[in-house]
């Protein structure tokens, strides 16, 4: 017997499947990033975006 929670979960799974399908075969691509020294704090970071590490992006409200 399906209660509301089961129905809700089934709907979420279906919506997720539709999103996956809509995305097609394009693999997930993270935002352009590179490893190196942060332009803002100078700390090495494995993934700089726009030259800034994650903590600095957070601090400065960068994407
Ligand atoms: Zn930084």
């Amino acid at each position: 017997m399906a209660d509301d929670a089961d129905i809700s979960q089934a709907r979420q799974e279906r919506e997720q499947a539709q999103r996956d399908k809509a995305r097609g075969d394009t693999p997930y691509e993270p935002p352009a990033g590179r490893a190196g020294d942060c332009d803002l704090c100078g700390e090495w970071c494995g993934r700089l975006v726009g030259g800034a590490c994650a903590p600095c992006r957070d601090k400065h409200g960068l994407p």
Side-chain angles (χ1 to χ4, degrees), residues 1-14:
M1 169 179 138
D3 60 18
D4 288 347
D6 284 340
I7 293 170
S8 176
Q9 184 175 357
R11 190 172 62 228
Q12 286 174 9
E13 287 175 356
R14 196 162 56 240

Side-chain angles (χ1 to χ4, degrees), residues 38-43 52-56:
C38 174
D39 285 348
L40 300 178
C41 69
E43 293 288 325
C53 68
C56 285

Side-chain angles (χ1 to χ4, degrees), residues 20-45:
D20 287 347
K21 198 173 170 184
R23 214 160 43 227
D25 294 330
T26 308
Y28 172 72
E29 292 183 31
R34 62 183 173 82
D37 295 328
C38 174
D39 285 348
L40 300 178
C41 69
E43 293 288 325
W44 188 90
C45 177

